[in-house]
Amino acid sequence: MTKLTALVIGLLLGSTAIAYAEDGQALYSSKCSVCHQAAGIGSPGQFPPLSGRVGKIASSPEGKAYLKDVLLNGLHGAIDVSDETYMGFMPSFNSLTDSQIAAVLTYVSSLNTPGKAPAFSEDEIKAARGTPKKAKEIVSERAALNSIHPLP
């Protein structure tokens, strides 16, 4: 392979990667909004609101870790959010690519979050994917996070 051919292939692959950059809003609309509703307003008693909350949770390293773990591993059972109990089931979205999960989390972090919303990277998701967690571990992680940084 000549240097010119290698350069052309590299440029084509690079532009393809840019062309396929994930759109977090579109992914949210197709994968998440059926439960959490448009704009992340939630469904009373079943699925908590995400708007204005996820960005706050993601503002700490522990919060970002928890959010990545929820998307990769799912969450079920009762959770309390703003003095309301939600009894829903969040499936694992580990079938999505690291890039897709990063895009969705970055988008949801930006919903009604004043200032700069925390962003998630593909590398962060890849690292979290390497350590799968069981349901009890996610619940414990949420409780620990809530004691350090009270969840909104």
Side-chain angles (χ1 to χ4, degrees), residues 21-34 36-40 50 71 96 99-112:
E22 301 299 338
D23 179 352
Q25 183 175 7
L27 285 164
Y28 175 85
S29 293
S30 69
K31 305 286 185 191
C32 311
S33 68
V34 70
H36 291 285
Q37 305 302 305
L50 303 177
L71 258 73
L96 297 178
S99 177
Q100 288 173 320
I101 291 174
V104 168
L105 283 172
T106 298
Y107 169 71
V108 174
S109 292
S110 74
L111 293 174
N112 200 19

Side-chain angles (χ1 to χ4, degrees), residues 9-101:
I9 290 171
L11 289 172
L12 288 174
L13 290 175
S15 65
T16 301
I18 292 167
Y20 287 105
E22 301 299 338
D23 179 352
Q25 183 175 7
L27 285 164
Y28 175 85
S29 293
S30 69
K31 305 286 185 191
C32 311
S33 68
V34 70
C35 295
H36 291 285
Q37 305 302 305
I41 62 170
S43 294
Q46 288 188 308
F47 307 105
L50 303 177
S51 179
R53 295 183 54 250
V54 172
K56 291 176 186 173
I57 294 168
S59 66
S60 72
E62 299 89 356
K64 281 185 92 173
Y66 168 73
L67 293 168
K68 291 179 281 189
D69 288 341
V70 167
L71 258 73
L72 288 167
N73 301 284
L75 177 67
H76 58 84
I79 61 169
D80 293 321
V81 175
S82 301
D83 298 325
E84 186 169 344
T85 299
Y86 291 85
M87 191 62 168
F89 174 80
M90 168 97 174
S92 164
F93 284 91
N94 68 2
S95 63
L96 297 178
T97 68
D98 297 337
S99 177
Q100 288 173 320
I101 291 174

